PDB file of all heavy atoms in Angstrom:
ATOM      1  N   ILE A 217      36.785  21.181 -12.842  1.00 95.00           N
ATOM      2  CA  ILE A 217      38.060  21.728 -12.380  1.00 95.00           C
ATOM      3  C   ILE A 217      38.395  23.009 -13.143  1.00 95.00           C
ATOM      4  O   ILE A 217      38.878  23.989 -12.563  1.00 95.00           O
ATOM      5  CB  ILE A 217      39.178  20.676 -12.512  1.00 95.00           C
ATOM      6  CG1 ILE A 217      38.938  19.539 -11.501  1.00 95.00           C
ATOM      7  CG2 ILE A 217      40.553  21.310 -12.284  1.00 95.00           C
ATOM      8  CD1 ILE A 217      39.937  18.405 -11.591  1.00 95.00           C
ATOM      9  N   ALA A 218      38.101  23.038 -14.436  1.00 96.00           N
ATOM     10  CA  ALA A 218      38.330  24.254 -15.229  1.00 96.00           C
ATOM     11  C   ALA A 218      37.443  25.388 -14.733  1.00 96.00           C
ATOM     12  O   ALA A 218      37.879  26.548 -14.662  1.00 96.00           O
ATOM     13  CB  ALA A 218      38.080  23.968 -16.705  1.00 96.00           C
ATOM     14  N   LEU A 220      36.232  25.789 -11.645  1.00 97.00           N
ATOM     15  CA  LEU A 220      36.750  26.254 -10.355  1.00 97.00           C
ATOM     16  C   LEU A 220      38.036  27.060 -10.542  1.00 97.00           C
ATOM     17  O   LEU A 220      38.264  28.036  -9.819  1.00 97.00           O
ATOM     18  CB  LEU A 220      36.985  25.062  -9.429  1.00 97.00           C
ATOM     19  CG  LEU A 220      35.724  24.317  -8.966  1.00 97.00           C
ATOM     20  CD1 LEU A 220      36.092  23.126  -8.090  1.00 97.00           C
ATOM     21  CD2 LEU A 220      34.775  25.249  -8.220  1.00 97.00           C
ATOM     22  N   ASN A 221      38.865  26.663 -11.501  1.00 96.00           N
ATOM     23  CA  ASN A 221      40.077  27.445 -11.772  1.00 96.00           C
ATOM     24  C   ASN A 221      39.732  28.852 -12.263  1.00 96.00           C
ATOM     25  O   ASN A 221      40.362  29.833 -11.863  1.00 96.00           O
ATOM     26  CB  ASN A 221      40.929  26.729 -12.829  1.00 96.00           C
ATOM     27  CG  ASN A 221      41.947  25.783 -12.212  1.00 96.00           C
ATOM     28  OD1 ASN A 221      42.548  26.096 -11.187  1.00 96.00           O
ATOM     29  ND2 ASN A 221      42.132  24.624 -12.824  1.00 96.00           N
ATOM     30  N   TYR A 249      33.210  17.233  -8.630  1.00 94.00           N
ATOM     31  CA  TYR A 249      34.597  17.652  -8.407  1.00 94.00           C
ATOM     32  C   TYR A 249      35.413  16.524  -7.795  1.00 94.00           C
ATOM     33  O   TYR A 249      36.546  16.257  -8.220  1.00 94.00           O
ATOM     34  CB  TYR A 249      34.614  18.892  -7.504  1.00 94.00           C
ATOM     35  CG  TYR A 249      35.975  19.208  -6.915  1.00 94.00           C
ATOM     36  CD1 TYR A 249      37.084  19.390  -7.746  1.00 94.00           C
ATOM     37  CD2 TYR A 249      36.158  19.316  -5.541  1.00 94.00           C
ATOM     38  CE1 TYR A 249      38.330  19.671  -7.214  1.00 94.00           C
ATOM     39  CE2 TYR A 249      37.400  19.600  -5.003  1.00 94.00           C
ATOM     40  CZ  TYR A 249      38.484  19.774  -5.841  1.00 94.00           C
ATOM     41  OH  TYR A 249      39.717  20.051  -5.318  1.00 94.00           O
ATOM     42  N   LEU A 250      34.860  15.847  -6.796  1.00 92.00           N
ATOM     43  CA  LEU A 250      35.572  14.715  -6.192  1.00 92.00           C
ATOM     44  C   LEU A 250      35.836  13.631  -7.233  1.00 92.00           C
ATOM     45  O   LEU A 250      36.914  13.040  -7.274  1.00 92.00           O
ATOM     46  CB  LEU A 250      34.762  14.139  -5.032  1.00 92.00           C
ATOM     47  CG  LEU A 250      34.561  15.025  -3.809  1.00 92.00           C
ATOM     48  CD1 LEU A 250      33.768  14.275  -2.745  1.00 92.00           C
ATOM     49  CD2 LEU A 250      35.898  15.480  -3.235  1.00 92.00           C
ATOM     50  N   ALA A 252      36.111  14.038 -10.490  1.00 93.00           N
ATOM     51  CA  ALA A 252      37.147  14.510 -11.415  1.00 93.00           C
ATOM     52  C   ALA A 252      38.531  14.459 -10.773  1.00 93.00           C
ATOM     53  O   ALA A 252      39.516  14.084 -11.425  1.00 93.00           O
ATOM     54  CB  ALA A 252      36.817  15.938 -11.854  1.00 93.00           C
ATOM     55  N   ALA A 253      38.618  14.815  -9.497  1.00 90.00           N
ATOM     56  CA  ALA A 253      39.914  14.813  -8.812  1.00 90.00           C
ATOM     57  C   ALA A 253      40.469  13.402  -8.680  1.00 90.00           C
ATOM     58  O   ALA A 253      41.678  13.176  -8.829  1.00 90.00           O
ATOM     59  CB  ALA A 253      39.764  15.455  -7.431  1.00 90.00           C
ATOM     60  N   ARG A 254      39.588  12.431  -8.417  1.00 87.00           N
ATOM     61  CA  ARG A 254      40.050  11.047  -8.273  1.00 87.00           C
ATOM     62  C   ARG A 254      40.572  10.480  -9.585  1.00 87.00           C
ATOM     63  O   ARG A 254      41.434   9.599  -9.595  1.00 87.00           O
ATOM     64  CB  ARG A 254      38.904  10.168  -7.757  1.00 87.00           C
ATOM     65  CG  ARG A 254      38.600  10.348  -6.282  1.00 87.00           C
ATOM     66  CD  ARG A 254      37.685   9.245  -5.763  1.00 87.00           C
ATOM     67  NE  ARG A 254      36.392   9.263  -6.413  1.00 87.00           N
ATOM     68  CZ  ARG A 254      35.323   9.904  -5.935  1.00 87.00           C
ATOM     69  NH1 ARG A 254      35.430  10.575  -4.792  1.00 87.00           N
ATOM     70  NH2 ARG A 254      34.177   9.868  -6.570  1.00 87.00           N
ATOM     71  N   SER A 255      40.047  10.980 -10.707  1.00 86.00           N
ATOM     72  CA  SER A 255      40.424  10.421 -12.009  1.00 86.00           C
ATOM     73  C   SER A 255      41.696  11.050 -12.584  1.00 86.00           C
ATOM     74  O   SER A 255      42.192  10.597 -13.611  1.00 86.00           O
ATOM     75  CB  SER A 255      39.273  10.587 -13.001  1.00 86.00           C
ATOM     76  OG  SER A 255      39.030  11.957 -13.278  1.00 86.00           O
ATOM     77  N   LEU A 256      42.234  12.086 -11.953  1.00 83.00           N
ATOM     78  CA  LEU A 256      43.439  12.742 -12.463  1.00 83.00           C
ATOM     79  C   LEU A 256      44.654  11.844 -12.300  1.00 83.00           C
ATOM     80  O   LEU A 256      44.846  11.194 -11.261  1.00 83.00           O
ATOM     81  CB  LEU A 256      43.676  14.064 -11.731  1.00 83.00           C
ATOM     82  CG  LEU A 256      42.697  15.208 -12.014  1.00 83.00           C
ATOM     83  CD1 LEU A 256      43.012  16.390 -11.098  1.00 83.00           C
ATOM     84  CD2 LEU A 256      42.762  15.624 -13.476  1.00 83.00           C
ATOM     85  N   PHE A 258      47.753  13.154 -12.427  1.00 68.00           N
ATOM     86  CA  PHE A 258      48.621  13.957 -11.575  1.00 68.00           C
ATOM     87  C   PHE A 258      47.765  14.955 -10.816  1.00 68.00           C
ATOM     88  O   PHE A 258      47.016  15.722 -11.419  1.00 68.00           O
ATOM     89  CB  PHE A 258      49.663  14.709 -12.407  1.00 68.00           C
ATOM     90  CG  PHE A 258      50.458  15.704 -11.592  1.00 68.00           C
ATOM     91  CD1 PHE A 258      51.425  15.281 -10.705  1.00 68.00           C
ATOM     92  CD2 PHE A 258      50.196  17.065 -11.704  1.00 68.00           C
ATOM     93  CE1 PHE A 258      52.135  16.200  -9.949  1.00 68.00           C
ATOM     94  CE2 PHE A 258      50.909  17.990 -10.950  1.00 68.00           C
ATOM     95  CZ  PHE A 258      51.885  17.552 -10.065  1.00 68.00           C
ATOM     96  N   LYS A 259      47.841  14.909  -9.528  1.00 63.00           N
ATOM     97  CA  LYS A 259      47.050  15.809  -8.683  1.00 63.00           C
ATOM     98  C   LYS A 259      47.981  16.889  -8.145  1.00 63.00           C
ATOM     99  O   LYS A 259      48.758  16.657  -7.235  1.00 63.00           O
ATOM    100  CB  LYS A 259      46.400  15.031  -7.541  1.00 63.00           C
ATOM    101  CG  LYS A 259      45.424  13.950  -8.021  1.00 63.00           C
ATOM    102  CD  LYS A 259      44.887  13.152  -6.866  1.00 63.00           C
ATOM    103  CE  LYS A 259      43.805  12.164  -7.329  1.00 63.00           C
ATOM    104  NZ  LYS A 259      44.290  11.220  -8.329  1.00 63.00           N
ATOM    105  N   GLY A 260      47.908  18.061  -8.741  1.00 63.00           N
ATOM    106  CA  GLY A 260      48.758  19.166  -8.333  1.00 63.00           C
ATOM    107  C   GLY A 260      48.336  19.752  -7.003  1.00 63.00           C
ATOM    108  O   GLY A 260      47.403  19.271  -6.349  1.00 63.00           O
ATOM    109  N   PRO A 261      49.018  20.805  -6.568  1.00 58.00           N
ATOM    110  CA  PRO A 261      48.686  21.446  -5.293  1.00 58.00           C
ATOM    111  C   PRO A 261      47.221  21.873  -5.243  1.00 58.00           C
ATOM    112  O   PRO A 261      46.720  22.503  -6.166  1.00 58.00           O
ATOM    113  CB  PRO A 261      49.628  22.664  -5.262  1.00 58.00           C
ATOM    114  CG  PRO A 261      50.749  22.303  -6.161  1.00 58.00           C
ATOM    115  CD  PRO A 261      50.154  21.457  -7.251  1.00 58.00           C
ATOM    116  N   GLY A 262      46.548  21.528  -4.177  1.00 58.00           N
ATOM    117  CA  GLY A 262      45.145  21.905  -4.015  1.00 58.00           C
ATOM    118  C   GLY A 262      44.207  20.815  -4.480  1.00 58.00           C
ATOM    119  O   GLY A 262      43.248  20.480  -3.808  1.00 58.00           O
ATOM    120  N   ILE A 263      44.474  20.237  -5.657  1.00 62.00           N
ATOM    121  CA  ILE A 263      43.612  19.169  -6.153  1.00 62.00           C
ATOM    122  C   ILE A 263      43.706  17.956  -5.233  1.00 62.00           C
ATOM    123  O   ILE A 263      42.728  17.270  -4.979  1.00 62.00           O
ATOM    124  CB  ILE A 263      44.011  18.770  -7.594  1.00 62.00           C
ATOM    125  CG1 ILE A 263      43.775  19.937  -8.544  1.00 62.00           C
ATOM    126  CG2 ILE A 263      43.240  17.547  -8.046  1.00 62.00           C
ATOM    127  CD1 ILE A 263      42.322  20.314  -8.688  1.00 62.00           C
ATOM    128  N   GLY A 264      44.873  17.702  -4.704  1.00 51.00           N
ATOM    129  CA  GLY A 264      45.035  16.575  -3.793  1.00 51.00           C
ATOM    130  C   GLY A 264      44.249  16.730  -2.518  1.00 51.00           C
ATOM    131  O   GLY A 264      44.067  15.775  -1.769  1.00 51.00           O
ATOM    132  N   ASP A 265      43.783  17.940  -2.249  1.00 55.00           N
ATOM    133  CA  ASP A 265      43.000  18.181  -1.029  1.00 55.00           C
ATOM    134  C   ASP A 265      41.514  17.986  -1.260  1.00 55.00           C
ATOM    135  O   ASP A 265      40.701  18.347  -0.417  1.00 55.00           O
ATOM    136  CB  ASP A 265      43.214  19.630  -0.541  1.00 55.00           C
ATOM    137  CG  ASP A 265      44.643  19.864  -0.095  1.00 55.00           C
ATOM    138  OD1 ASP A 265      45.297  18.880   0.276  1.00 55.00           O
ATOM    139  OD2 ASP A 265      45.083  21.021  -0.132  1.00 55.00           O
ATOM    140  N   ALA A 266      41.132  17.412  -2.398  1.00 51.00           N
ATOM    141  CA  ALA A 266      39.709  17.319  -2.732  1.00 51.00           C
ATOM    142  C   ALA A 266      38.916  16.585  -1.668  1.00 51.00           C
ATOM    143  O   ALA A 266      37.790  16.938  -1.363  1.00 51.00           O
ATOM    144  CB  ALA A 266      39.533  16.623  -4.078  1.00 51.00           C
ATOM    145  N   GLY A 267      39.515  15.564  -1.088  1.00 57.00           N
ATOM    146  CA  GLY A 267      38.815  14.823  -0.053  1.00 57.00           C
ATOM    147  C   GLY A 267      38.638  15.622   1.217  1.00 57.00           C
ATOM    148  O   GLY A 267      37.901  15.220   2.107  1.00 57.00           O
ATOM    149  N   GLU A 268      39.327  16.741   1.320  1.00 65.00           N
ATOM    150  CA  GLU A 268      39.237  17.594   2.494  1.00 65.00           C
ATOM    151  C   GLU A 268      38.391  18.836   2.220  1.00 65.00           C
ATOM    152  O   GLU A 268      38.527  19.841   2.903  1.00 65.00           O
ATOM    153  CB  GLU A 268      40.649  18.009   2.939  1.00 65.00           C
ATOM    154  CG  GLU A 268      41.535  16.825   3.281  1.00 65.00           C
ATOM    155  CD  GLU A 268      42.948  17.260   3.619  1.00 65.00           C
ATOM    156  OE1 GLU A 268      43.186  18.487   3.703  1.00 65.00           O
ATOM    157  OE2 GLU A 268      43.809  16.391   3.794  1.00 65.00           O
ATOM    158  N   ARG A 270      38.432  21.084  -0.251  1.00 92.00           N
ATOM    159  CA  ARG A 270      39.230  22.262  -0.572  1.00 92.00           C
ATOM    160  C   ARG A 270      39.553  22.272  -2.056  1.00 92.00           C
ATOM    161  O   ARG A 270      39.621  21.223  -2.709  1.00 92.00           O
ATOM    162  CB  ARG A 270      40.535  22.300   0.239  1.00 92.00           C
ATOM    163  CG  ARG A 270      40.325  22.243   1.742  1.00 92.00           C
ATOM    164  CD  ARG A 270      41.632  22.452   2.494  1.00 92.00           C
ATOM    165  NE  ARG A 270      42.031  23.856   2.500  1.00 92.00           N
ATOM    166  CZ  ARG A 270      41.538  24.769   3.346  1.00 92.00           C
ATOM    167  NH1 ARG A 270      40.637  24.429   4.233  1.00 92.00           N
ATOM    168  NH2 ARG A 270      41.958  26.007   3.303  1.00 92.00           N
ATOM    169  N   PHE A 271      39.778  23.483  -2.582  1.00 93.00           N
ATOM    170  CA  PHE A 271      40.290  23.647  -3.931  1.00 93.00           C
ATOM    171  C   PHE A 271      41.258  24.812  -3.912  1.00 93.00           C
ATOM    172  O   PHE A 271      40.949  25.888  -3.398  1.00 93.00           O
ATOM    173  CB  PHE A 271      39.158  23.938  -4.930  1.00 93.00           C
ATOM    174  CG  PHE A 271      39.657  24.130  -6.339  1.00 93.00           C
ATOM    175  CD1 PHE A 271      39.920  23.033  -7.137  1.00 93.00           C
ATOM    176  CD2 PHE A 271      39.879  25.406  -6.852  1.00 93.00           C
ATOM    177  CE1 PHE A 271      40.393  23.202  -8.434  1.00 93.00           C
ATOM    178  CE2 PHE A 271      40.348  25.583  -8.140  1.00 93.00           C
ATOM    179  CZ  PHE A 271      40.611  24.476  -8.937  1.00 93.00           C
ATOM    180  N   ALA A 272      42.455  24.595  -4.483  1.00 91.00           N
ATOM    181  CA  ALA A 272      43.494  25.621  -4.512  1.00 91.00           C
ATOM    182  C   ALA A 272      43.749  26.183  -3.111  1.00 91.00           C
ATOM    183  O   ALA A 272      44.005  27.375  -2.946  1.00 91.00           O
ATOM    184  CB  ALA A 272      43.122  26.744  -5.477  1.00 91.00           C
ATOM    185  N   GLY A 273      43.679  25.323  -2.122  1.00 91.00           N
ATOM    186  CA  GLY A 273      43.938  25.731  -0.743  1.00 91.00           C
ATOM    187  C   GLY A 273      42.789  26.430  -0.059  1.00 91.00           C
ATOM    188  O   GLY A 273      42.883  26.804   1.111  1.00 91.00           O
TER     189      GLY A 273
END
Side-chain angles (χ1 to χ4, degrees):
I217 291 177
L220 293 178
N221 269 321
Y249 165 56
L250 294 182
R254 285 193 297 267
S255 66
L256 290 175
F258 172 74
K259 298 176 174 59
I263 295 295
D265 294 335
E268 301 176 7
R270 304 187 76 81
F271 179 82

